[in-house]
């Protein structure tokens, strides 16, 4: 759906209960079950990134405690993927702290090999490797990638405040290559970087304008990392997060909305509101890429308490009803 900015503002500022009730109604129409997709992340190349994204623990421009790690081999990665599957994840997402990839690079060849092996396990395979062109995107698709994660992170206007080593347009160009290669697009952003509500809504406006709309939309709350320019950022207000998720559900009814980074700072009740208002996926496992995530038992308990269940592999419940 292509909403104008004015429509997004109108939706976001509705009386809170009207907003979440409407988001719930739309959610149930397109996602009639009670399933939540569990996705497991693995950082396959950590730190020493040339980019200066102000939120990121992995940028070489910041002075964080993170220890850089070279690209993991396929043999090192596979046990993590198998464990993710055994624990109930239906999507395995591998992240590399790279500016981007070049088709001829031997490290990229190694990632392609890893993708071929992981895709045999029968989970959705997602990768996030930075910037891509058409050739690299096509190779990833051929190797078996389901979805490529590349977030726009905030509004076009605020983006230069957060990153100076690449542009918002660079992000859109990569997303164009992903779409042309026929991979699904996983694209969302971060709340809590000092942006205004207007920036969050502009971000949703851009996402809702994608054709086709993104298959999944991760909504991250900033995990403020010591040594980054955003180390002192204030936590996101839970009701602002719920409003944004509800608005996202209304303008992106067929996208999976992933309640992503920052859940260790949310209460169970806060997360329940997010799931009520339209979130239908979480990252599962006690580590995101470099930062902590709630424990698996804690998450399964929460789902059970809310009478929700993990999405089963290849379930039709993972596909939205038109
Ligand atoms: N290098 C690739 C890229 O920039 O797309 C992939 C990895 S990057 C870590 C993936 C996404 O994680 C970012 O776009 C951002 O949305 C999210 N992220 C990274 N650090 C974060 C943090 N400290 N808090 C919340 N989200 C974060
Ligand atoms: C996304 O939007 N969030 C995930 C996934 N895509 C790759 C990553 C969150 C990272 C949080 C910070 C960290 O653990 O380093
Ligand atoms: Fe590098 Fe990605 Fe972190 Fe930016 S978000 S510093 S590109 S790993």
């Amino acid at each position: 759906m292509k909403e104008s900015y004015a429509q997004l503002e109108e939706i976001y500022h509705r009386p809170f209960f009207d907003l979440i009730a409407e988001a719930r109604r739309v959610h149930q129409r397109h996602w009639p079950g009670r399933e939540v997709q569990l996705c497991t992340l693995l950082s396959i190349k950590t730190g020493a990134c040339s980019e200066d994204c102000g939120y990121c623990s992995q940028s070489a421009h910041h002075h964080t405690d993170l220890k850089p790690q070279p690209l993991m081999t396929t043999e090192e990665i596979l046990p993590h993927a198998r464990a993710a599957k055994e624990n109930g994840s239906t999507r395995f997402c591998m992240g590399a702290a790279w500016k981007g990839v070049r088709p001829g690079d031997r490290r990229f060849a190694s990632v392609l090999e890893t993708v071929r092996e992981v895709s045999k396990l029968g989970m959705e395979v997602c990768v996030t490797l930075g910037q891509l062109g058409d050739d690299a995107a096509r190779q990833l698709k051929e190797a078996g990638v389901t979805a490529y994660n590349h977030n726009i992170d905030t509004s076009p206007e605020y983006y230069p405040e957060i990153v100076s080593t690449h542009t918002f347009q660079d992000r859109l160009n990569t997303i164009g290559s992903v779409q042309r290669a026929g991979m699904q697009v996983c694209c969302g952003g971060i709340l809590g970087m000092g942006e205004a509500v207007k920036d969050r809504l502009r971000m949703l406006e851009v996402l809702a304008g994608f054709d086709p709309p993104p298959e999944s939309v991760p909504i991250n709350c900033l995990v403020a990392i010591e040594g980054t320019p955003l180390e002192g950022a204030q936590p996101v207000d839970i009701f602002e997060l719920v409003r944004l998720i509800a608005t996202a559900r209304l303008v992106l009814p067929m996208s999976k909305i992933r309640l992503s980074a920052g859940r260790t700072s949310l209460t169970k009740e806060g997360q329940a509101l997010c799931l009520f208002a339209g979130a239908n996926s979480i990252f599962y496992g006690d580590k995101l890429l470099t930062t902590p995530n709630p424990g698996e038992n804690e998450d399964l308990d929460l789902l059970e308490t809310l009478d929700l269940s993990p999405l089963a592999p290849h379930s039709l419940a993972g596909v939205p009803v038109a």
Side-chain angles (χ1 to χ4, degrees):
M1 213 183 300
K2 180 131 184 70
E3 257 79 16
S4 69
Y5 179 78
Q7 285 169 307
L8 277 154
E9 259 206 329
E10 182 277 318
I11 294 170
Y12 181 87
H13 290 291
R14 284 181 193 166
F16 184 77
F17 288 133
D18 296 355
L19 171 61
I20 64 171
E22 177 66 1
R24 184 79 198 149
R25 200 180 60 73
V26 168
H27 184 79
Q28 282 176 317
R29 181 182 338 136
H30 295 285
W31 304 92
R34 298 177 184 281
E35 284 85 4
V36 174
Q37 186 179 32
L38 307 182
C39 312
T40 295
L41 281 166
L42 178 68
S43 181
I44 60 169
K45 184 269 168 180
T46 304
C49 183
S50 64
E51 303 308 280
D52 68 354
C53 310
Y55 50 80
C56 189
S57 64
Q58 306 199 64
S59 165
H61 296 256
H62 316 323
H63 301 283
T64 66
D65 287 339
L66 189 75
K67 192 166 165 276
Q69 306 279 357
L71 180 65
M72 292 170 72
T73 62
T74 305
E75 290 68 35
E76 288 168 331
I77 294 168
L78 275 174
H80 293 269
R82 289 195 195 100
K85 184 179 177 175
E86 273 158 31
N87 290 340
S89 282
T90 62
R91 183 148 162 148
F92 189 64
C93 179
M94 294 173 274
W98 284 331
K99 179 185 178 74
V101 296
R102 272 167 292 116
D105 190 318
R106 73 182 158 71
R107 293 177 306 172
F108 181 53
S110 171
V111 172
L112 291 173
E113 179 55 23
T114 303
V115 168
R116 280 190 279 271
E117 292 302 317
V118 173
S119 62
K120 289 181 193 158
L121 301 177
M123 284 178 292
E124 296 175 4
V125 184
C126 174
V127 288
T128 179
L129 313 170
Q131 293 176 33
L132 289 184
D134 284 350
D135 279 356
R138 229 176 289 120
Q139 290 179 40
L140 286 168
K141 167 72 183 169
E142 274 166 24
V145 166
T146 317
Y148 196 83
N149 168 247
H150 202 65
N151 291 341
I152 55 170
D153 281 324
T154 188
S155 67
E157 296 75 25
Y158 197 63
Y159 199 77
E161 304 289 323
I162 300 298
V163 184
S164 78
T165 46
H166 58 258
T167 64
F168 193 85
Q169 186 59 47
D170 290 330
R171 301 298 280 183
L172 296 180
N173 293 347
T174 291
I175 290 159
S177 291
V178 171
Q179 287 171 328
R180 281 190 291 279
M183 285 184 283
Q184 293 179 340
V185 170
C186 171
C187 184
I190 311 181
L191 311 189
M193 302 191 294
E195 75 286 346
V197 167
K198 179 168 198 286
D199 296 300
R200 298 174 185 171
L201 295 179
R202 282 277 291 137
M203 174 176 91
L204 288 188
E205 184 189 1
V206 173
L207 294 173
F210 283 6
D211 184 18
E215 175 260 346
S216 68
V217 177
I219 303 292
N220 298 277
C221 291
L222 178 74
V223 179
I225 306 217
E226 233 181 278
T228 64
L230 293 172
E231 64 181 1
Q234 291 305 304
V236 177
D237 176 83
I238 181 65
F239 298 110
E240 292 191 10
L241 171 62
V242 174
R243 272 186 192 277
L244 198 85
I245 288 176
T247 307
R249 175 46 72 222
L250 289 172
V251 301
L252 292 156
M254 311 272 276
S255 302
K256 282 212 179 70
I257 310 265
R258 286 183 215 288
L259 179 58
S260 300
R263 284 196 300 116
T264 52
S265 305
L266 302 181
T267 63
K268 288 194 280 190
E269 296 86 342
Q271 294 182 67
L273 269 177
C274 294
L275 294 164
F276 178 90
N280 56 351
S281 170
I282 56 173
F283 285 113
Y284 181 63
D286 57 13
K287 200 170 173 202
L288 292 163
L289 289 173
T290 69
T291 63
N293 197 40
E296 294 177 356
N297 288 339
E298 207 179 313
D299 280 342
L300 292 181
D301 285 352
L302 178 61
L303 294 187
E304 199 181 333
T305 303
L306 301 175
D307 301 307
L308 301 172
S309 53
L311 179 67
H314 312 294
S315 163
L316 276 180
V319 182
V321 175

